[in-house]
Amino acid sequence: MSKADYMLSILWILQQHKRTAAELAGELELSVRSVYRYIDALCASGVPVIADAGPGGGYSLPEHFSAAPLFFDAGERRALVQASAFARGSGYPYEQALEGAIAKLKRYSNAEQLSQMERHESGLETLHSPAAPLAELLEELEACTADSLTLEMEYRKGSGGFPSSRCIDPYGLVLWKGQWYLTGFCHQRQEVRSFRVDRIAGLRRTGAGFIRPASFSAREFLLQSLLPGQNNPAELTAVVISAAEAVLNDLCSHWLFGHTLEQRSENTARFLLDEATLYSYAPYFLLPYGKALTIREPAALKKKLAEVTAELTAYYNES
């Protein structure tokens, strides 16, 4: 076993009850000297090992240590505190529990480890779009997703109006562009659909359950609904754009163009878009780039962009 494996084994044994160095050596088939070395390493990593000398003595852990996290290496500690930064402000429903876990990790770290974690924690921050407080809804949706419980949902459409009631089998939650989406089987439509969580006016458990389809991905379903036609290449149109490398990098970082990119060179990119997206969305996104990029094909997209530009020019000339 590796050093970390032996340290973890000693930790698990001491969580059961007190052991002497000789007992630990016998159970792990180690020399007593090796046991001393691994105990020292545990102490250095922040584990509060208690050493009692004399008859009836041995090594033990404080009673409260059952609530302490397992020891982590420097990279794992850094990853945990930085991952928590991504969750803060995103609407993640268990932010308080996450903060408690990070506080526990810090509480059982030594001064050097704590200083290192705080340096890495302060060096990475995120900005999230302001969103409605949805913690209670997200907690219930996540719990029912995990336990496969059917929900009765009061839902408002984007056009407004009174909420309508429908039963839904929640398959998963997705955070996209600052908005939370629920994907699940809608009993009213008899199909899998996605719903914006901020439009949910109420939830009630029905007492019924369901079986979630194996390998279902809420993320992939939402992405496919945003990119219609991707499963049928015959329905897609090639869009070829030339620009400086930095401009193409920025264009390809956009969710639509990034996921429809087929081929890329330093100054040219080829995308595959469905017709509806090509003429109803792409021109308005490409417009702000102005002369920084050139549409090589299709000609119809260049014509549509010219029409959009002419309409905007006429509108502002009139106003």
Side-chain angles (χ1 to χ4, degrees):
M1 290 194 295
S2 67
K3 176 182 177 180
D5 289 333
Y6 279 119
M7 291 170 63
L8 185 58
S9 296
I10 291 173
L11 182 60
W12 279 112
I13 292 172
L14 294 182
Q15 281 185 318
Q16 306 306 313
H17 53 80
K18 183 184 293 186
R19 294 288 204 285
T20 64
E23 289 172 337
L24 289 169
E27 290 187 46
L28 298 173
E29 298 181 351
L30 290 169
S31 67
V32 172
R33 179 174 295 181
S34 295
V35 170
Y36 290 146
R37 187 166 63 249
Y38 292 140
I39 292 290
D40 288 341
L42 281 171
C43 293
S45 71
V47 178
V49 178
I50 300 171
D52 295 321
Y59 293 107
S60 62
L61 296 171
E63 291 183 5
H64 68 269
F65 191 75
S66 60
L70 297 176
F71 58 89
F72 299 101
D73 62 29
E76 291 167 338
R77 288 191 294 269
R78 178 182 63 242
L80 287 169
V81 296
Q82 290 184 341
S84 69
F86 284 94
R88 296 189 192 105
S90 69
Y92 178 65
Y94 304 113
E95 190 171 322
Q96 186 174 354
L98 179 61
E99 294 293 340
I102 297 300
K104 187 183 295 182
L105 176 63
K106 292 179 178 179
R107 184 162 58 249
Y108 293 101
S109 299
N110 58 37
E112 181 181 350
Q113 294 167 343
L114 183 59
S115 175
Q116 184 185 52
M117 279 191 290
E118 289 177 344
R119 291 198 305 273
H120 286 295
E121 187 176 23
S122 63
L124 188 150
E125 297 180 88
T126 60
L127 284 173
H128 293 284
S129 302
L134 302 171
E136 290 186 9
L137 281 174
L138 289 170
E139 281 190 31
E140 179 67 355
L141 290 170
E142 190 279 329
C144 291
T145 298
D147 295 335
S148 298
L149 300 176
T150 300
L151 288 165
E152 184 179 347
M153 177 175 70
E154 300 294 324
Y155 189 74
R156 296 188 184 93
K157 294 183 179 180
S159 56
F162 293 103
S164 61
S165 180
R166 65 191 73 195
C167 285
I168 185 86
D169 296 337
Y171 288 171
L173 291 162
V174 183
L175 177 64
W176 184 69
K177 295 182 69 174
Q179 291 286 350
W180 284 95
Y181 291 81
L182 167 70
T183 296
F185 181 78
C186 177
H187 291 235
Q188 179 179 329
R189 295 289 185 89
Q190 288 294 297
E191 62 182 7
V192 179
R193 299 188 64 199
S194 292
F195 304 89
R196 274 183 44 168
V197 175
D198 63 332
R199 293 177 183 167
I200 297 176
L203 289 173
R204 185 182 68 83
R205 298 187 185 189
T206 65
F210 63 91
I211 299 176
R212 187 173 183 267
S215 303
F216 179 85
S217 169
R219 175 187 178 278
E220 291 302 317
F221 178 84
L222 181 62
L223 184 61
Q224 288 301 319
S225 67
L226 295 169
L227 302 172
Q230 293 300 305
N231 292 327
N232 189 353
E235 298 178 356
L236 302 177
T237 302
V239 177
V240 180
I241 295 176
S242 296
E245 183 179 10
V247 175
L248 283 183
N249 288 343
D250 185 69
L251 181 64
C252 292
S253 69
H254 184 262
W255 69 270
L256 172 62
F257 290 93
H259 283 98
T260 58
L261 178 66
E262 183 199 36
Q263 190 176 7
R264 168 75 193 273
S265 64
E266 183 178 351
N267 299 114
T268 303
R270 187 174 190 269
F271 308 93
L272 294 176
L273 298 175
D274 69 282
E275 186 173 344
T277 302
L278 181 63
Y279 300 116
S280 64
Y281 181 85
Y284 299 95
F285 181 77
L286 295 173
L287 186 62
Y289 283 94
K291 298 179 180 180
L293 54 76
T294 300
I295 300 172
R296 299 297 181 189
E297 57 179 89
L301 178 58
K302 291 192 285 186
K303 181 180 178 181
K304 179 64 176 179
L305 197 59
E307 292 174 356
V308 170
T309 305
E311 290 173 2
L312 283 172
T313 302
Y315 173 79
Y316 283 107
N317 282 336
E318 293 173 1
S319 61

